[in-house]
């Protein structure tokens, strides 16, 4: 590599770090204020911060949360890794949770900047500046802000999935595998989310004449994601046969006895009115897909239609209204059109086709 290229690459990498910096600083600062100034008003944030900080392999929960391990509620081995990492850092519990949250939200900006500068080749002048602005803006979209209002760990799934998808799109399968595994470790259902997106891509590719034999990497990741989530769900049920988070949040007892026409109508109206940051981008993606005759643009939102229906019918009002962290898969969906556009252009043997400013 010649010296000018190395200098240019260093500039792009530096700008990528700067694009991630606002999200890291401001979201981490929010967590610090949440604990030190406002007193950690939400119960979950304290419980999650505790198991992420020097808690050991068993993820023992605070007695207030109930005796036993956090694995009774979610199969989330990522907290074992975080717990081990926290032991190496001279940070308090709240400070470490702020660090993790900041990095998780910053990963959204990294994914956007990565795909725009590398795959769309927005690397110079106004194009590079626009990539920077869009990366920062995406990390502060309505979905990301909704996540931080109820500090939780599902943002790790969204960020990890986005980074995995970019690496997978580029054919960097070893790097993709790293992000894939980290995403799976976040929660038992993470594999289902990744598999849903990949399954639709594989299906569209097959419909367009690409044989399954030519799609082995996607099929391997898809199969591994489903297998992991099935095993994790079975393990979770075995660890706590007397308590089901799925039944408590989604089914109710008896199952779906809470449903009524009025409830569904109110929730649907709420989606259109108060969750426009979720559904308006979906409408834009639909219009774009029709205008461009590119069904790949819709893969992200189509993959999470079951998620939408599941929450529309949910017992919990927090889940049923897609409040706080329950909308995290739509971060993946709203990011997806950047990949869907490239997949179709490459299938046709064309360059990205998006004019640089």
């Amino acid at each position: 590599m010649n010296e000018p290229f190395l200098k240019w690459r260093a500039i792009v990498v530096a700008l990528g770090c700067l694009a991630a910096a606002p999200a890291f600083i401001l979201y981490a600062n929010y967590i610090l204020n949440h604990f030190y100034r406002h007193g950690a008003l939400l119960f979950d944030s304290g419980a999650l911060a505790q198991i992420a900080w020097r808690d050991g392999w068993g993820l023992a929960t605070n007695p207030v949360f109930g005796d036993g391990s956090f694995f009774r509620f979610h199969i989330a081995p990522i907290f074992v890794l975080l717990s081990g990492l926290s032991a190496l850092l001279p940070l308090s519990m709240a400070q470490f949770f702020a660090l993790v949250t900041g990095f998780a939200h910053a990963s959204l900006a990294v994914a956007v900047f990565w795909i725009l500068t590398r795959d769309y080749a927005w690397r110079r002048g106004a194009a590079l500046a626009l990539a920077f602005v869009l990366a920062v803006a995406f990390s502060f979209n309505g979905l990301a802000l909704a996540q931080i209002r109820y500090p939780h760990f599902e943002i790790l799934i969204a960020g990890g999935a986005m980074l995995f998808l970019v690496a997978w799109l580029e054919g960097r399968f070893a790097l993709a595998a790293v992000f894939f595994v980290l995403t799976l470790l976040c929660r038992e259902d993470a594999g289902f989310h990744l598999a849903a997106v990949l399954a639709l891509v594989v299906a569209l590719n097959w419909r367009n004449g690409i044989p399954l034999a030519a799609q082995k990497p996607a099929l391997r990741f898809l199969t591994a994601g489903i297998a992991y989530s099935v095993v994790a769900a079975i393990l979770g049920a075995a660890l706590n046969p007397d308590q089901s988070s799925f039944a408590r949040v989604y089914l109710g007892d008896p199952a779906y006895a809470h449903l009524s026409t009025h409830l569904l109508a109110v929730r649907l109206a709420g989606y259109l009115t108060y969750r426009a940051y979720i559904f308006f981008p979906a409408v834009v993606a639909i219009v774009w897909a029709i205008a461009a005759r590119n069904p790949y643009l819709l893969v992200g939102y189509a993959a999470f239609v079951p998620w939408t229906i599941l929450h529309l019918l949910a017992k919990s009002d927090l889940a049923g209204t897609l409040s706080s962290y329950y909308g995290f898969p739509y971060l993946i969906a709203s990011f997806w059109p950047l990949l869907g556009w490239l997949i179709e252009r490459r299938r046709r043997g064309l360059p990205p086709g998006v004019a640089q400013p």
Side-chain angles (χ1 to χ4, degrees):
M1 297 183 183
N2 55 41
E3 187 174 347
F5 175 80
L6 291 175
K7 287 183 178 179
W8 164 81
R9 189 171 184 177
I11 291 172
V12 172
V13 171
L15 280 175
C17 293
L18 286 175
F24 174 76
I25 293 170
L26 294 177
Y27 285 112
N29 184 65
Y30 179 93
I31 294 297
L32 293 176
N33 278 296
H34 177 69
F35 278 91
Y36 291 125
R37 177 172 292 180
H38 305 303
L41 305 177
L42 300 173
F43 176 76
D44 282 23
S45 56
L48 294 172
Q50 179 231 315
I51 63 171
W53 188 71
R54 305 176 186 179
D55 198 39
W57 292 92
L59 300 186
T61 57
N62 188 290
V64 176
F65 204 63
D67 293 331
S69 169
F70 182 74
F71 287 128
R72 293 179 302 136
F73 303 97
H74 288 295
I75 304 300
I78 191 70
F79 282 104
V80 176
L81 299 180
L82 292 174
S83 182
L85 176 62
S86 69
L88 304 176
L89 300 175
L91 299 174
S92 69
M93 183 183 75
Q95 290 168 341
F96 183 72
F97 192 60
L99 181 75
V100 173
T101 303
F103 270 113
H105 280 270
S107 68
L108 308 181
V110 171
V112 173
F113 191 79
W114 179 3
I115 195 171
L116 289 178
T117 56
R118 185 175 177 89
D119 299 289
Y120 282 87
W122 290 14
R123 302 169 186 159
R124 299 182 186 281
L128 182 58
L130 182 58
F132 178 89
V133 171
L134 290 176
V136 174
F138 188 88
S139 64
F140 289 96
N141 64 38
L143 278 161
L145 294 174
Q147 304 283 307
I148 199 64
R149 289 186 63 201
Y150 198 109
H152 235 252
F153 65 100
E154 283 77 6
I155 187 69
L156 294 167
I157 300 176
M162 289 166 57
L163 294 171
F164 158 73
L165 289 168
V166 177
W168 165 76
L169 178 73
E170 294 182 355
R172 302 172 70 179
F173 300 126
L175 181 59
V178 173
F179 291 129
F180 181 78
V181 170
L182 288 175
T183 304
L184 293 186
L185 295 179
C186 292
R187 210 171 75 171
E188 63 276 0
D189 59 330
F192 291 140
H193 300 310
L194 294 174
V197 174
L198 293 174
L200 288 180
V201 174
V202 168
L204 279 174
N205 285 343
W206 180 78
R207 177 174 174 262
N208 289 324
I210 302 175
L212 296 180
Q215 303 188 66
K216 288 182 179 179
L219 288 169
R220 286 168 181 161
F221 282 122
L222 187 163
T223 303
I226 293 175
Y228 176 85
S229 283
V230 168
V231 172
I234 293 172
L235 178 60
L239 289 175
N240 194 17
D242 298 325
Q243 189 280 144
S244 169
S245 296
F246 184 82
R248 174 173 49 83
V249 174
Y250 295 107
L251 297 181
D253 185 20
Y256 294 121
H258 60 282
L259 290 181
S260 67
T261 303
H262 175 73
L263 176 66
L264 296 179
V266 169
R267 285 183 176 176
L268 285 172
Y271 288 175
L272 297 176
T273 305
Y274 301 108
R275 298 295 176 261
Y277 56 79
I278 293 176
F279 294 101
F280 180 72
V283 172
V284 172
I286 292 171
V287 173
W288 185 11
I290 294 172
R293 297 181 179 180
N294 179 0
Y296 287 97
L297 293 169
L298 295 178
V299 163
Y301 287 104
F304 298 116
V305 167
W307 183 260
T308 305
I309 296 172
L310 176 67
H311 285 73
L312 177 64
L313 304 178
K315 166 67 175 176
S316 164
D317 284 333
L318 196 64
T321 55
L322 288 172
S323 300
S324 64
Y325 63 88
Y326 284 102
F328 75 88
Y330 303 109
L331 279 167
I332 306 168
S334 60
F335 172 70
W336 174 263
L338 290 176
L339 289 89
W341 178 264
L342 286 174
I343 291 173
E344 174 66 5
R345 299 291 293 185
R346 291 176 180 178
R347 187 183 70 82
R348 296 182 181 182
L350 301 172
V354 178
Q356 296 187 19

